[in-house]
């Protein structure tokens, strides 16, 4: 072999090695990645590259679940099914993506990863995800600054900054970060884009109220989300749309019917087991919408019954210990419904309502929440009056009126005086002294 032949052979070998390294790198850090699309922690996991994962990555990034998973991705399959412990036990490699996925699934478990080394191993584009995960876990006070990342990775970083701003009450900053996140995710990750659009629209609703523009944004976000398998996100957006229409019902009675349609659609997506807090919130909103509808025919009594059952279901989730505010509000709504619901067992309903009001009276301390305490007293006094317990009703109503007057709630005090006058008339009519 001549020296020239040897040199050519060496160059060919070097080129082949370089091509192999480039191919390995491309396979390992393939894009798009489905980060931020599905619920955490699965939504933070990276999918390795390769011919057998290209379609899977695109499917997940679109917000859809695959029909089948490659055998080598059993850990990811288990994680997406919710078996986090099982998924973690399947990852034992030293590849940077394996190390990162293990860090996501068991951040404090062995082997404990050094964040700086893991960021370096993942490289410039994906390394920032380590700090995004640490921020989500509360290990970092602030999300990491963007450092040239693109596409769905940049979108996830912007989304973390939006969450940080919203937690601090900086809605303007949050809206700006969400806008940048949508722009970065557009085209790269349809599933993430749809969720970001939904979050941005709901944020705008909280700031601006249920304007025509806000409803248009929410509806557009719903159209994007309906193309995905992200059932929790879809149910959350249905709840937001229903709430927006329900707010508009003060000026448009037809909006209540639209709100109900969205709430019912949300309940078809979730259950008490799959999303208990969201399920309870939808049940409460549906019940309040039903109770606000006018009673025009006998069949409307069925709607009242559904509302009462929905509120009872919500109270299986809301307890004084876990959700004190939601529990108290739901108790009041249920008690009010029992007072006014047409029923052959009205006395039993009134007794139950008076007892539920009493629970709220005890929970809403007069010193810390005088108006809440007084409202519960006023409602209880009304229920006791319906039961004919005029002495008890009068005492409770006088206490409520005094608190309202002390608090400067003149309209509420006036309303209680009206109830007291009615109690006096009913007592006189019944011949009770």
């Amino acid at each position: 072999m001549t020296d020239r032949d040897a040199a050519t052979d060496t160059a060919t070998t070097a080129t082949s090695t370089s091509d192999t390294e480039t191919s390995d790198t491309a396979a390992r850090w393939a894009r798009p990645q489905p980060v931020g699309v599905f619920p955490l922690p699965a939504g933070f996991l990276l999918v390795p590259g390769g011919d057998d994962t290209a379609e899977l990555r695109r499917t997940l990034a679109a917000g859809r679940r695959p029909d089948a998973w490659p055998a080598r991705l059993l850990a990811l399959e288990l994680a997406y099914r919710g078996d986090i412990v099982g998924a973690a036990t399947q990852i034992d490699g030293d590849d940077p993506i394996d190390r990162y996925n293990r860090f996501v699934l068991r951040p404090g478990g062995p082997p404990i990863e050094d964040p700086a080394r893991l960021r370096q191993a993942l490289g410039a584009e994906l390394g920032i995800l380590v700090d995004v995960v640490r921020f989500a876990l509360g290990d970092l006070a602030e999300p990491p600054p963007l450092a040239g990342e693109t596409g769905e990775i940049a979108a996830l970083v912007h989304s973390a900054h939006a969450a940080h701003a919203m937690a601090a009450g900086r809605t303007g900053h949050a809206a700006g970060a969400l806008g940048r996140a949508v722009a970065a995710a557009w085209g790269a990750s349809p599933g993430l884009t749809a969720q970001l659009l939904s979050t941005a629209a709901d944020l705008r609703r909280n700031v601006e109220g249920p304007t025509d523009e806000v409803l248009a944004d929410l509806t557009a976000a719903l159209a994007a989300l309906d193309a995905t398998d992200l059932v929790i996100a879809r149910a959350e957006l249905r709840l937001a749309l229903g709430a927006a229409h329900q707010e508009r019902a003060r000026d448009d009675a037809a909006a209540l019917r639209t709100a109900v349609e969205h709430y019912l659609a949300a309940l078809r997506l979730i259950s008490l087991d799959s999303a208990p807090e969201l399920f309870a919130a939808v049940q409460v909103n549906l019940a309040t919408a039903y109770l606000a509808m006018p009673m025009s025919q006998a069949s409307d009594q069925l709607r009242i019954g559904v509302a009462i059952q929905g509120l009872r279901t919500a109270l299986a989730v809301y307890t004084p210990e876990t959700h004190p505010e939601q529990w108290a509000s739901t108790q009041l709504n249920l008690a009010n419904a029992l007072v006014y619901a047409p029923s052959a067992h009205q006395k039993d309903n009134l007794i139950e309502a008076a007892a539920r009001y009493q629970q709220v009276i005890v929970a809403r301390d007069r010193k810390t929440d005088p108006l809440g305490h007084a409202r519960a007293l006023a409602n209880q006094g009304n229920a006791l009056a319906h039961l004919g317990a005029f002495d008890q009703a009068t005492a409770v109503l006088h206490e409520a009126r005094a608190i309202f007057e002390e608090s400067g709630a003149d309209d509420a005090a006036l309303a209680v005086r009206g109830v007291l006058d009615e109690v006096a008339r009913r007592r006189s009519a019944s011949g009770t002294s």
Side-chain angles (χ1 to χ4, degrees):
M1 179 184 293
T2 66
D3 291 342
R4 181 177 179 181
D5 290 337
T8 301
D9 190 52
T10 301
T12 301
T13 302
T15 301
S16 176
T17 301
S18 177
D19 288 345
T20 300
E21 290 175 352
T22 301
S23 176
D24 288 345
T25 300
R28 191 178 295 166
W29 288 274
R31 304 281 290 275
Q33 286 289 340
V35 289
V37 179
F38 285 85
L40 306 179
F44 275 146
L45 298 176
L46 291 170
V47 180
D51 292 340
D52 61 338
T53 69
E55 184 59 31
L56 172 73
R57 284 184 287 100
R58 287 191 291 268
T59 297
L60 291 172
R64 297 192 299 272
R65 294 184 179 274
D67 295 328
W69 292 77
R72 69 185 178 106
L73 297 185
L74 176 59
L76 271 72
E77 180 180 2
L78 291 173
Y80 273 83
R81 289 181 178 177
D83 184 1
I84 304 306
V85 174
T89 62
Q90 293 293 321
I91 304 176
D92 55 8
D94 291 326
D95 179 275
I97 286 185
D98 283 340
R99 290 167 55 195
Y100 167 79
N101 285 345
R102 189 164 51 237
F103 169 74
V104 169
L105 294 176
R106 50 182 188 190
I112 298 175
E113 287 282 356
D114 176 68
R117 290 183 178 180
L118 185 54
R119 283 196 304 269
Q120 184 177 13
L122 285 171
E125 273 284 309
L126 301 184
I128 197 170
L129 293 178
V130 174
D131 285 340
V132 172
V133 172
R134 295 176 67 205
F135 168 70
L137 294 173
D139 294 338
L140 292 178
E142 296 183 1
L146 207 65
E149 292 79 11
T150 60
E152 71 279 14
I153 308 301
L156 192 60
V157 177
H158 286 305
S159 178
H161 281 274
H164 185 245
M166 282 190 283
R170 295 182 285 113
T171 55
H173 287 83
L178 285 170
R180 291 188 290 275
V182 169
W186 199 276
S189 181
L192 182 56
T193 303
Q195 290 187 83
L196 292 168
L197 287 170
S198 173
T199 304
D202 198 32
L203 176 62
R204 189 176 179 188
R205 175 180 73 91
N206 291 331
V207 174
E208 301 177 22
T211 64
D212 290 343
E213 294 78 10
V214 166
L215 285 175
D217 283 356
L218 289 168
T219 303
L222 181 63
L225 272 178
D226 274 346
T228 75
D229 295 332
L230 303 169
V231 292
I232 301 298
R234 289 161 59 191
E236 289 173 340
L237 186 52
R238 289 283 187 179
L239 173 59
L241 260 167
H245 282 285
Q246 191 166 353
E247 287 181 58
R248 289 170 66 106
R250 301 165 189 160
D251 304 314
D252 178 10
L256 263 184
R257 292 191 292 273
T258 303
V260 165
E261 290 171 4
H262 283 297
Y263 297 144
L264 292 174
L267 292 177
R268 288 192 290 270
L269 293 168
I270 56 174
S271 68
L272 191 59
D273 292 329
S274 67
E277 292 189 359
L278 179 58
F279 190 82
V282 176
Q283 288 282 12
V284 169
N285 277 32
L286 176 63
T288 56
Y290 274 157
L291 294 172
M293 289 180 169
M295 294 277 291
S296 58
Q297 51 191 9
S299 61
D300 291 335
Q301 293 185 26
L302 177 62
R303 188 180 68 232
I304 304 302
V306 171
I308 289 174
Q309 185 55 47
L311 292 168
R312 292 190 191 280
T313 300
L315 286 171
V317 178
Y318 297 150
T319 70
E321 296 76 25
T322 61
H323 302 79
E325 287 303 316
Q326 293 96 325
W327 170 83
S329 176
T330 305
Q331 283 277 38
L332 285 174
N333 282 328
L334 176 54
N336 290 341
L338 289 168
V339 169
Y340 296 105
S343 172
H345 308 285
Q346 189 174 24
K347 182 177 180 180
D348 291 338
N349 285 351
L350 288 169
I351 292 172
E352 180 184 348
R356 291 187 180 277
Y357 288 132
Q358 183 61 34
Q359 292 179 43
V360 179
I361 290 167
V362 172
R364 289 186 167 173
D365 185 74
R366 176 170 179 170
K367 293 181 179 178
T368 58
D369 185 11
L371 290 178
H373 186 83
R375 281 191 289 268
L377 283 169
N379 284 326
Q380 186 187 51
N382 184 52
L384 291 169
H386 278 82
L387 279 168
F390 298 128
D391 289 343
Q392 286 179 270
T394 300
V396 168
L397 290 168
H398 275 302
E399 185 179 356
R401 185 187 65 179
I403 297 172
F404 282 136
E405 289 174 344
E406 290 170 9
S407 304
D410 296 335
D411 289 343
L414 183 61
V416 171
R417 281 197 289 271
V419 178
L420 280 166
D421 291 342
E422 178 62 25
V423 169
R425 284 192 293 270
R426 291 180 62 185
R427 171 181 280 177
S428 176
S430 66
T432 305
S433 58

